Amino acid sequence: MSYQSINPFNNQKLKDYPSHTDQDIQNALDTAEKILKSDWIQQVDTRIAVLRKLATNMRAQKAELAKLMTQDMGKLIKQSEGEIETCAKIAEYYADHAKEFLAPVSYETELGEAWVEHHPLGIIMAVEPWNFPFYQLMRVFAPNCAIGNPVVAKHASIVPQCAEAFERLILDAGAPKGVWTNLFISSDQVADIIADPRVQGVALTGSEGAGRAVAGQAGKHVTKSTLELGGNDVFIVLDDADLEKAIKIGCQARVNNTGQVCTAAKRFILHEKIAEQFKTGMIKVFEGLKIGDPLDSETTLGPLSSADALEKLTKQVDKAVENGAKVVTGGKPYEHEGNFYQPTILENISRDNPAWYEEFFGPVAQIYVAKDEDEIVSIANDSNYGLGGVIHSQNIERAKKLASRVETGMIWINWYTDTAPELPFGGIKNSGYGHELSIDGFKEFVQKRLVVVKSPKK
Ligand code: NAP
């Protein structure tokens, strides 16, 4: 696997990165193991200070870090800046809560005094995607820094500038070498790392295929894993929704990050009474998007992350149309240099169309029309994924009842599927298992040690 930064706006190569060797990996694991035997794991205040300094430094370097993201994978510059702020908040959240989350928890038992202590688990392997180049790394780094687990990380091969910058940021924040090690390595080398007995956990965010490969290897070596995989999220609009708001939020939820978000609104399930109105509003927004240089703050739709991503999305839409889908607007790449795809709306997608079950990772919305809640639930739950989802209705009680019927890991009412450091993030079905962020994310890779002092009376 070659690590290259190629600007998706014009496909010009910016930089090549040499891959790490097997010896580099051994050195990284040796250094990480030394961390586990050092004072680092006792020094919670030092780890908290690193998290706080990291947040401060990221905010101070926001402009240059945002530019790296935009150059590596084409994110609109304002969205790149927003991602840096989100990262700083995650670092601060775990700094604020590290002591509370690490504190022992007492258990009631007639056998005596019992409590669970929280210790580092060991070295964690992180395998991460390109679509949120810093945020995805921070979701793993911050809780593991709070715990004391060293991390070896393989970032996606198309965002090497960000991968390199993140490692530097952590060292600059005062962490010793080995707390976070970036490795430019292949999938086979990832498998070798998981097989190493020093590695006690693997966190992967990415596609279903990568998830299956990594979880399979983790299972073989009895190593704990978490998987944050793809999604085919619903955006349900009921007949009593505030339509203007729903159209605005729904369109943004589909085209944010050029549609390359795991929890993007992908399947719009519209109540038949408002379907035409919603569709008309959506066409207007999609056709009004301004494509261009993602570094230009006037641009509202950037390129896809790579030429491969453009080719994949083009083939998917073509196949959907061959199988009966109707293109409402868009439907092909832009005639423009770089990896631009037209914002697209598809309808008439039947269950025998492969598009029904696939994740479209780009600005392609699918529209489904339903006559009532039962039909909405039947469409929503007929999916192999279960990551996020959204319901728009002005009747909150009605929306809550519907939310409890949709099979998904997260569901938001009158908003889009959002993220916050204090809220658990994770999916069900083929969207993966386990959580990141919040106390739930912290608990995934902490060693829980039960201690019991037997009561002499029993
Ligand atoms: P991807 O191709 O699976 O890549 C993700 C990471 O896995 C990359 O670092 C990739 O390395 C690596 N990888 C791929 N195959 C591997 C294997 N067999 N063994 C070990 N590592 C492997 O996914 P992507 O296209 O970058 O990201 C998009 C996908 O991620 C979408 O499905 C999206 O929904 C999902 N996603 C999920 C979440 C979530 O929180 N649930 C968040 C963001 C994205 P290379 O780059 O070197 O191939």
Side-chain angles (χ1 to χ4, degrees), residues 128 130 139 154 157 187 205-207 210 228-230 262 359 425:
E128 299 302 323
W130 45 264
R139 291 203 324 186
K154 181 231 177 295
S157 49
S187 298
T205 295
S207 61
E228 300 284 355
L229 308 180
C262 51
E359 179 186 37
F425 191 106

Side-chain angles (χ1 to χ4, degrees), residues 1 3 127-132 136 139 154-158 185-188 190-191 204-211 213-214 227-231 261-263 266 359 361 385 387 425 431 436:
M1 177 54 65
Y3 284 77
V127 183
E128 299 302 323
W130 45 264
N131 60 342
F132 290 93
Q136 289 297 153
R139 291 203 324 186
K154 181 231 177 295
H155 211 335
S157 49
I158 65 169
I185 53 175
S186 67
S187 298
D188 287 346
V190 169
L204 176 133
T205 295
S207 61
E208 210 183 311
V214 162
L227 299 181
E228 300 284 355
L229 308 180
V261 183
C262 51
T263 52
K266 290 170 189 147
E359 179 186 37
F361 222 50
Y385 292 112
L387 190 55
F425 191 106
S431 294
E436 290 188 344

Side-chain angles (χ1 to χ4, degrees), residues 49-60:
V50 166
L51 286 166
R52 292 206 192 285
K53 184 86 175 122
L54 180 60
T56 305
N57 289 354
M58 287 189 85
R59 285 198 179 102

Side-chain angles (χ1 to χ4, degrees), residues 125-382:
M125 165 96 240
V127 183
E128 299 302 323
W130 45 264
N131 60 342
F132 290 93
F134 286 107
Y135 163 75
Q136 289 297 153
L137 302 187
M138 185 61 91
R139 291 203 324 186
V140 179
F141 173 71
N144 284 297
C145 177
I147 294 166
N149 291 324
V151 181
V152 290
K154 181 231 177 295
H155 211 335
S157 49
I158 65 169
V159 288
Q161 296 198 82
C162 298
E164 188 181 56
F166 194 73
E167 184 184 55
R168 176 184 49 74
L169 280 162
I170 289 167
L171 291 170
D172 289 352
K177 199 163 176 277
V179 164
W180 177 274
T181 308
N182 171 59
L183 292 169
F184 292 134
I185 53 175
S186 67
S187 298
D188 287 346
Q189 288 170 308
V190 169
D192 291 344
I193 292 175
I194 297 169
D196 191 299
R198 291 172 290 184
V199 175
Q200 290 298 310
V202 52
L204 176 133
T205 295
S207 61
E208 210 183 311
R212 287 183 193 282
V214 162
Q217 180 72 345
K220 192 170 155 196
H221 294 278
V222 198
T223 300
K224 169 87 191 265
S225 62
T226 56
L227 299 181
E228 300 284 355
L229 308 180
N232 203 357
D233 288 9
V234 289
F235 191 97
I236 296 165
V237 187
L238 295 179
D239 50 339
D240 60 4
D242 175 340
L243 265 196
E244 201 181 320
K245 194 172 143 198
I247 291 166
K248 192 168 168 221
I249 294 173
C251 291
Q252 191 51 35
R254 178 60 287 206
V255 301
N256 180 34
N257 212 26
T258 319
Q260 305 162 115
V261 183
C262 51
T263 52
K266 290 170 189 147
R267 296 183 292 150
F268 289 79
I269 309 181
L270 310 176
H271 193 286
E272 62 181 9
K273 287 193 189 149
I274 50 81
E276 270 311 306
Q277 237 181 309
F278 189 94
K279 193 168 92 177
T280 306
M282 195 176 203
I283 296 170
K284 195 168 164 215
V285 175
F286 272 32
E287 292 183 349
L289 289 167
K290 184 173 177 289
I291 73 145
D293 187 345
L295 282 171
D296 179 348
S297 59
E298 297 295 307
T299 301
T300 53
L301 187 71
L304 292 167
S305 62
S306 66
D308 284 351
L310 178 62
E311 192 188 332
K312 184 175 172 196
L313 188 68
T314 306
K315 282 189 184 153
Q316 262 184 312
V317 173
D318 291 351
K319 193 167 71 171
V321 172
E322 277 161 31
N323 283 277
K326 185 175 157 233
V327 176
V328 177
T329 185
K332 52 181 191 293
Y334 271 107
E335 287 178 15
H336 188 284
E337 66 171 356
N339 309 317
F340 288 93
Y341 197 85
Q342 295 177 342
T344 296
I345 303 173
L346 299 176
E347 62 181 3
N348 280 0
I349 299 167
S350 54
R351 278 180 163 84
D352 57 2
N353 190 328
W356 180 288
Y357 295 102
E358 285 175 6
E359 179 186 37
F360 283 65
F361 222 50
V364 178
Q366 301 184 350
I367 285 188
Y368 299 86
V369 179
K371 65 177 186 306
D372 56 20
E373 268 103 319
D374 286 345
E375 195 177 5
I376 287 171
V377 170
S378 133
I379 296 170
N381 291 349
D382 189 4

